[in-house]
Amino acid sequence: MPSSCKEIRAALAQCLQESECVMVQRHTAAECLRSPLAETLPTKCQQLKKGFGECRRGMIDMRKRFRGNQPITFKSLESSEQSGEGYQLYAGKSAFAGGVRKTDGNEPEPPDWRELENEKYRKEQEEAQKR
């Protein structure tokens, strides 16, 4: 298999080995990936399964033939999980990281850009008159 999907494949295999489906119920990893048992997998494993499928599909996608397949590195996935930032499983920028700020409704209204420009102009005019 080409190197673009190796990391996500290894992450999926590890997630399956640590899942309850394999450890407690003693199913094989292949059985756990199939329909009746796939819904019992943890969310992380389901996301990795979907990301691995998209990665494999991307290898034969003709739209990506010049840029190549853009895989997610599992190391960045783990670090974003620990830091609490949002992440996107397969390529691209994160969909949810840093987009929402908490507010209490009492924030000062930001100054209008026109007012700022007017203040700059007035200061320039005052400096010109002093000279």
Side-chain angles (χ1 to χ4, degrees), residues 53-72:
E54 289 176 5
C55 183
R56 294 280 306 268
R57 199 171 303 115
M59 290 193 308
I60 58 171
D61 190 358
M62 292 304 287
R63 292 172 291 183
K64 298 180 182 178
R65 65 187 179 270
F66 292 117
R67 288 185 292 150
N69 206 3
Q70 301 291 321
I72 180 84

Side-chain angles (χ1 to χ4, degrees), residues 69-129:
N69 206 3
Q70 301 291 321
I72 180 84
T73 59
F74 186 66
K75 295 175 187 91
S76 67
L77 178 66
E78 273 187 324
S79 66
S80 69
E81 186 176 282
Q82 291 169 355
S83 68
E85 295 177 356
Y87 61 89
Q88 184 174 331
L89 263 181
Y90 185 71
K93 292 170 64 175
S94 173
F96 305 109
V100 178
R101 293 183 298 161
K102 291 188 178 185
T103 61
D104 62 357
N106 295 326
E107 289 79 26
E109 199 171 307
D112 187 21
W113 65 272
R114 292 171 285 225
E115 292 296 325
L116 295 173
E117 291 295 321
N118 286 340
E119 286 177 25
K120 282 184 194 176
Y121 179 74
R122 287 183 195 121
K123 287 180 184 176
E124 289 174 3
Q125 291 299 319
E126 286 176 12
E127 290 175 10
Q129 288 178 357

